[in-house]
């Protein structure tokens, strides 16, 4: 093990005398440090089951578990816990949530279900209003702010209204015996704070903790860590203050600073050797991030050699930018004999992808779009999936709530709250509860009638779905709920028609699968929750990756194009920040984020915002620092070559606005100006590509002779 590690990595792995913070620069081998430290802990006498490694995404947890499995062969029940914060929270609540009044089989609402409840609480049909409130409530929960404190701290009438909705929303979730995504951290914190015996059990269960991507933790996650480690403080936190890019969803760098205060004996180890990128790329990255204040000074270095110089390509407009990037990519691929999957195009907001998709399709180049909306995440598909989930498992409370209210059938929030409260007291599902005689004492006959009518309908469909051909049952289901009429009643004809076509495509897919597999609808329904995962499997495809910078974090590519490096876009000016535009967060992405309209910035004759550069530092400092960290993340995804593009003119809506190159280009000491005699269009790349194709064709002809 030691031969493969540098001195800093060995120090981080072997230190077991107290709390440890590992400042791990981009590409410095932090995953290797975490997995090797787990191996070292086991060799030092720690029981494997008493070691926990926590990260932020299921993908990262899976990769870490797979790597660890190759290093230490242990039976399944004796392996260390490798989990996300949220999956750990689920485990804690399933085991001990009864102390907070939760039944063991509580339901977890997704973002869409939560937004539906908030719409009711707010008394609005405007989805954007509900999503904005959802974001605000999420921030409150992540900061451990309850509804009463939110109401007391509200700064204006808008926040007061959201605080009232927060109180109603919390009451509805409690009645439904449900939790949302944020509750999976908040409630375990409450559990450990209020029940000392439960806290002690978990401290004994997890005697050593390792936390990955620590810079992305919010106040709630930090508190959970503190409560889990207790006075023993046996933990290692691994993170990088230069890659903290999730302030918009509550992550705070203060958690890094707090560690040394809350744990005075904290050991700090810096990993500065980069194993990913060439020297030219790291030089640009170091110059850029040097403009941010530092909690822990570090400078990345590499033994990979100078490598290709970082290129800046000015372009006339959006379409020219996309054309130039695609042609340069093609020429580079012909020249270097690379694969399509060696290339990534990174952008600030999802709206930027459209022109690149068009240019790639024109050249018949395969690509994978990351961070966009999955087909199976569309509201109309999720509506139908709710029925199928309920047919497969009538204990699925979120599916029941969605299905019974879509389309509308006279079942209101108050009725569902009463049913949910009764079901929680009886420790049964809401579907089972509606048939119990005692339910009649809690819910009036008029309110109970449509519920039982719906329940009987689901039972009939369920009976048929287990025996009859799936195609016929599906058709009868759609006809019975009259879903097509529902779509046309709730949206304009054009939108409704598009949604109905999506439903038809989905139903045809299910029918085809049932015919090929010989499956009944019940059998299909039992696997329907996996469909969204199938839609995202793109890892093994030889294709160019199109992705937001946020969604690219943790990834690396041999060759990277970072596009739209302009003032007003990168750095982005004004608005809610990245909350709506990243596409990298599973529940809170918006396909048309603030960057698409530059909300809060008034375009001037010189660029995206006339006062952008003159804005007071005191007002803009934190925002610009996070934007600079975002650019730093983009730059450090590249291994061998990096190309940065900006447009002199960019379209927003129907208008075109003059642009200025991003200040970050100057900070990296890169010349953003067009070179004398050089074209800023794609012509040069086209000519080079044509020449390479001719050369290749000539080589093939000569060999054939």
């Amino acid at each position: 093990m030691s031969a493969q590690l540098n001195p800093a990595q060995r120090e981080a792995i072997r230190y077991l005398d107290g709390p440890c913070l590992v400042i791990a620069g981009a590409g410095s081998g932090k995953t290797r440090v975490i997995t090797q430290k787990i191996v070292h802990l086991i060799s030092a006498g720690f029981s494997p089951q008493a070691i926990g490694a926590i990260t932020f995404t299921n993908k990262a947890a899976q990769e870490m578990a797979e790597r660890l499995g190759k290093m230490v062969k242990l039976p399944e029940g004796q392996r260390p816990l490798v989990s996300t914060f949220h999956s750990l929270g689920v485990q804690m609540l399933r085991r001990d949530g009864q102390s907070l009044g939760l039944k063991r089989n509580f339901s977890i609402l997704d973002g869409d279900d939560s937004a539906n409840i908030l719409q009711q609480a707010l008394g609005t049909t405007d989805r954007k209003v509900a999503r904005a409130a959802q974001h605000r409530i999420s921030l409150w929960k992540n900061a451990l702010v309850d509804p009463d404190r939110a109401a007391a701290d509200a700064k204006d009438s808008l926040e007061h209204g959201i605080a009232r909705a927060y109180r109603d929303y919390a009451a509805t979730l409690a009645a439904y015996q449900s939790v949302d995504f944020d509750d999976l951290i908040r409630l375990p914190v409450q559990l450990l704070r209020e029940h000392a015996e439960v806290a002690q059990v978990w401290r004994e269960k997890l005697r050593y903790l390792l936390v990955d991507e620590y810079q992305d933790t919010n106040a709630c996650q930090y508190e959970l860590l503190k409560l889990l480690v207790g006075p023993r403080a046996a933990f290692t936190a691994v993170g990088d203050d230069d890659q903290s890019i999730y302030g918009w969803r509550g992550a705070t760098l203060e958690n890094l600073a707090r560690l040394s205060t809350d744990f005075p004996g904290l050991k700090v180890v810096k990993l500065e050797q980069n194993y990913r990128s060439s020297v030219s790329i790291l030089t640009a990255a170091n110059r850029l991030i040097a403009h941010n204040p530092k909690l822990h000074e570090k400078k990345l270095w590499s033994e990979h050699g100078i490598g290709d110089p970082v290129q800046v390509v000015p372009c006339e407009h959006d379409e020219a930018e996309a054309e130039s990037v695609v042609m340069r990519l093609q020429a580079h691929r012909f020249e270097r004999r690379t694969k399509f999957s060696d290339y990534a195009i990174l952008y600030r907001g999802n709206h930027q992808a459209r022109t690149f998709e068009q240019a790639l399709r024109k050249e018949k180049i395969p690509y994978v779009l990351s961070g966009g909306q999955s087909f199976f995440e569309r509201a109309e598909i999720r509506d139908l999936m709710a029925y199928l989930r309920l047919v497969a498992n009538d204990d699925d409370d979120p599916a029941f709530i969605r299905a019974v209210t879509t389309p509308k059938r006279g079942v209101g929030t108050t009725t569902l709250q009463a049913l949910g409260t009764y079901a929680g007291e009886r420790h049964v599902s809401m579907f089972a509860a509606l048939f119990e005689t005692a339910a009649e004492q809690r819910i009036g006959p008029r309110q109970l009638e449509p519920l039982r009518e719906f329940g009987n309908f689901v039972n009939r469909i369920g009976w048929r779905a287990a025996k009859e051909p799936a195609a016929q049952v599906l058709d009868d289901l759609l006809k019975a709920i009259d879903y097509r009429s529902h779509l046309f009643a709730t949206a304009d004809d054009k939108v409704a028609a598009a949604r109905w076509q999506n439903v038809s495509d989905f139903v045809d897919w299910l029918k085809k699968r049932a015919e090929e597999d010989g499956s009944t609808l019940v059998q299909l329904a039992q696997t329907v929750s996996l469909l969204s995962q199938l839609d995202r499997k793109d890892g093994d495809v030889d294709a160019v990756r199109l992705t937001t910078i946020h969604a690219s974090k943790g990834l690396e590519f041999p060759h990277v194009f970072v596009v739209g490096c302009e003032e007003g876009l990168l750095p982005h000016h004004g608005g809610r920040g990245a909350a709506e535009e990243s596409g990298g967060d599973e529940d809170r992405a918006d396909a048309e984020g603030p960057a698409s309209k530059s909300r809060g910035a008034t375009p001037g004759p010189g660029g995206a915002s006339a006062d952008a550069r003159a804005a007071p530092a005191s007002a803009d400092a934190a925002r610009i620092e996070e934007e600079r960290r975002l650019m730093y993340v983009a730059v450090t995804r590249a291994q061998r070559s990096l190309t940065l593009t900006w447009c002199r003119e960019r379209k927003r809506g129907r208008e075109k606005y003059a642009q200025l190159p991003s200040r970050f280009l100057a900070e990296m000491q890169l010349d953003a100006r067009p070179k004398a005699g050089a074209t800023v269009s794609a012509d040069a790349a086209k000519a080079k590509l044509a020449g390479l194709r001719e050369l290749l064709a000539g080589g093939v002809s000569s060999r054939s002779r």
Side-chain angles (χ1 to χ4, degrees):
M1 174 178 82
S2 299
Q4 302 173 356
L5 300 168
N6 63 46
Q9 289 174 330
R10 281 196 293 272
E11 183 181 14
I13 288 166
R14 293 175 177 177
Y15 184 78
L16 302 179
D17 296 334
C20 180
L21 172 62
V22 181
I23 301 296
S28 63
K30 64 179 179 65
T31 304
R32 181 193 303 176
V33 167
I34 293 172
T35 53
Q36 294 278 24
K37 186 153 193 172
I38 292 173
V39 174
H40 183 63
L41 285 162
I42 295 171
S43 65
F46 278 82
S47 170
Q49 306 101 299
I51 303 169
I54 306 172
T55 188
F56 278 83
T57 67
N58 290 322
K59 182 181 178 183
Q62 184 179 349
E63 289 175 354
M64 191 180 294
E66 288 173 355
R67 189 179 299 193
L68 189 60
K70 294 175 182 176
M71 299 166 67
V72 184
K73 304 295 183 183
L74 292 168
E76 189 169 347
Q78 299 177 23
R79 296 170 189 170
L81 171 72
V82 181
S83 134
T84 64
F85 270 102
H86 295 91
S87 6
L88 174 61
V90 171
Q91 291 183 46
M92 296 176 70
L93 293 176
R94 294 287 187 210
R95 184 187 184 281
D96 297 299
Q98 298 91 321
S99 301
L100 299 176
L102 279 176
K103 62 183 183 182
R104 286 192 184 274
N105 60 335
F106 63 85
S107 299
I108 303 170
L109 300 182
D110 60 24
D112 203 46
D113 292 330
S114 297
N116 287 341
I117 295 172
L118 270 173
Q119 277 186 250
Q120 295 282 339
L122 290 162
T124 181
T125 58
D126 191 328
R127 199 67 168 178
K128 290 184 178 178
V129 171
R131 288 292 188 188
Q134 189 176 24
H135 180 70
R136 177 69 259 181
I137 292 170
S138 176
L139 291 178
W140 277 328
K141 287 190 175 188
N142 290 335
L144 295 169
V145 174
D146 62 24
D148 290 339
R149 183 178 155 196
D153 295 346
K155 299 180 181 65
D156 50 39
S157 59
L158 178 62
E159 283 202 355
H160 273 291
I162 297 174
R164 286 194 297 271
Y166 180 16
R167 183 180 288 108
D168 293 342
Y169 174 70
T172 300
L173 261 60
Y176 289 175
Q177 282 287 295
S178 299
V179 301
D180 63 19
F181 199 60
D182 299 307
D183 288 331
L184 296 177
I185 312 295
R186 183 186 67 83
L187 289 176
V189 168
Q190 182 183 343
L191 181 67
L192 299 185
R193 278 178 171 177
E194 296 177 0
H195 300 275
E197 70 287 355
V198 175
Q200 190 57 38
V201 167
W202 281 97
R203 286 168 190 163
E204 290 302 316
K205 185 177 176 64
L206 297 172
R207 296 186 64 83
Y208 199 99
L209 278 179
L210 301 100
V211 182
D212 192 15
E213 302 287 6
Y214 181 76
Q215 77 281 346
D216 294 334
T217 56
N218 56 40
C220 196
Q221 288 159 335
Y222 180 78
E223 189 64 19
L224 182 62
L225 171 66
K226 277 183 63 181
L227 290 165
L228 281 172
V229 300
R232 187 165 54 237
F235 71 87
T236 294
V238 182
D240 182 9
D241 49 332
D242 292 335
Q243 296 188 75
S244 178
I245 59 174
Y246 291 110
W248 54 271
R249 69 180 185 192
T252 173
L253 277 175
E254 290 180 11
N255 287 348
L256 275 168
R258 287 178 61 189
L259 276 178
S260 56
T261 303
D262 293 343
F263 302 96
L266 183 72
K267 172 79 169 177
V268 179
V269 181
K270 299 177 190 177
L271 305 183
E272 296 175 288
Q273 182 174 358
N274 177 284
Y275 294 92
R276 175 186 300 163
S277 305
S278 65
V279 171
S280 61
I281 293 169
L282 291 184
T283 299
N286 284 330
R287 287 170 176 171
L288 173 71
I289 208 63
H291 290 265
N292 270 8
K294 298 288 185 179
L295 289 172
H296 301 278
E297 286 287 345
K298 71 175 185 305
K299 189 174 182 179
L300 295 182
W301 59 277
S302 170
E303 293 181 341
H304 285 326
I306 296 296
D308 295 344
V310 177
Q311 293 190 20
V312 178
V313 180
C315 303
E316 290 295 342
H317 47 73
D318 315 46
E319 290 80 8
E321 178 185 46
E323 189 178 344
S324 178
V325 166
V326 170
M327 291 301 170
R328 287 168 187 274
L329 187 155
Q330 278 276 61
H332 190 276
R333 179 173 169 271
F334 270 93
E335 190 174 17
R336 303 291 180 94
R337 299 291 193 271
T338 54
K339 299 182 296 183
F340 287 121
S341 56
D342 290 335
Y343 298 86
I345 301 172
L346 311 183
Y347 37 81
R348 181 63 174 83
N350 275 316
H351 71 284
Q352 293 170 263
R354 193 173 295 116
T355 53
F356 292 95
E357 286 191 81
Q358 292 168 349
L360 289 164
R361 283 199 297 266
K362 183 181 177 183
E363 293 299 315
K364 297 181 173 58
I365 297 174
Y367 67 90
V368 170
L369 183 65
S370 301
Q373 187 185 44
S374 161
F375 177 79
F376 297 99
E377 291 174 344
R378 298 178 186 273
E380 60 272 19
I381 304 303
R382 292 168 68 89
D383 287 343
L384 186 53
M385 287 174 65
Y387 281 89
L388 300 182
R389 285 165 49 198
L390 191 60
V391 166
N393 175 22
D394 58 24
D395 282 340
D396 190 334
D397 283 350
F400 170 80
I401 293 166
R402 188 175 190 120
V404 80
T405 55
T406 312
K408 301 289 185 188
R409 48 174 53 85
V411 178
T413 303
T414 304
T415 300
L416 287 175
Q417 285 179 340
L419 179 64
T421 301
Y422 172 76
E425 294 170 359
R426 294 278 298 128
H427 301 287
V428 297
S429 70
M430 294 174 73
F431 187 86
L434 69 88
F435 291 107
E436 293 191 356
T437 305
E440 298 168 8
Q441 300 171 10
R442 306 288 287 274
I443 306 169
R446 221 165 97 188
Q447 288 75 34
L448 195 58
E449 184 181 352
L451 282 171
R452 287 182 171 171
E453 185 179 334
F454 173 77
N456 289 327
F457 165 72
V458 171
N459 283 333
R460 288 195 302 273
I461 289 291
W463 184 88
R464 291 183 59 195
K467 303 177 184 303
E468 298 179 12
Q472 185 59 55
V473 181
L474 271 169
D475 288 341
D476 290 347
L477 170 63
L478 284 172
K479 185 179 179 181
I481 65 175
D482 199 12
Y483 190 72
R484 187 178 185 277
S485 296
H486 162 73
L487 289 177
F488 280 88
T490 55
D492 64 61
D493 289 353
K494 187 176 179 180
V495 172
R499 291 174 177 173
W500 178 248
Q501 186 59 55
N502 289 335
V503 170
S504 299
D505 291 345
F506 180 53
V507 169
D508 288 344
W509 184 88
L510 286 171
K511 288 177 179 178
K512 185 178 178 182
R513 181 164 175 173
E515 185 178 353
E516 290 174 350
D517 300 343
S519 304
T520 65
L521 189 57
V522 163
Q523 290 169 328
L524 282 180
Q526 288 169 341
T527 61
V528 76
S529 62
L530 302 175
L531 295 178
S532 60
Q533 298 177 28
L534 297 175
D535 196 50
R536 293 179 176 179
K537 286 187 177 179
D538 54 35
D540 299 328
V541 178
D542 184 24
V544 176
R545 179 70 68 93
L546 288 177
T547 180
T548 61
I549 301 172
H550 282 92
S552 75
K553 191 166 178 289
L555 304 177
E556 57 187 49
F557 307 90
H559 312 288
V560 170
F561 294 86
V562 183
V563 300
C565 299
E566 301 143 24
E567 288 294 309
L569 191 55
L570 185 61
H572 176 256
H573 293 154
R576 274 176 50 193
E580 297 176 316
E581 56 190 301
S582 75
D585 184 64
E586 292 82 353
D587 297 315
R588 303 179 180 88
D590 184 332
E592 293 287 333
S596 64
K597 299 178 183 175
S598 289
R599 296 168 193 159
T602 303
S609 173
D611 62 348
R613 293 182 187 244
S618 58
D620 273 351
R623 176 178 58 80
I624 293 297
E625 286 166 15
E626 180 155 322
E627 291 291 303
R628 187 175 288 113
R629 293 193 294 270
L630 189 63
M631 175 64 101
Y632 178 82
V633 167
V635 168
T636 55
R637 297 313 93 194
Q639 297 171 316
R640 297 198 269 287
S641 76
L642 174 66
T643 303
L644 308 163
T645 69
W646 68 277
C647 295
R648 291 171 165 178
E649 188 177 77
R650 188 170 293 276
K651 187 184 290 184
R652 295 196 202 104
R654 297 183 178 180
E655 301 294 326
K656 293 181 178 179
Y657 297 97
Q659 299 294 109
L660 291 173
S662 170
R663 72 190 73 185
F664 299 150
L665 300 177
E667 291 176 358
M668 287 185 276
Q669 300 178 27
L670 301 171
D671 189 357
R673 298 170 300 176
K675 308 298 186 291
T679 179
V680 297
S681 73
D683 292 344
K686 278 183 179 178
K688 186 175 183 179
L689 178 58
L692 288 167
R693 282 172 169 165
E694 276 185 34
L695 186 63
L696 184 63
V700 172
S701 292
S702 64
R703 285 197 298 273
S704 65
R705 287 196 298 267

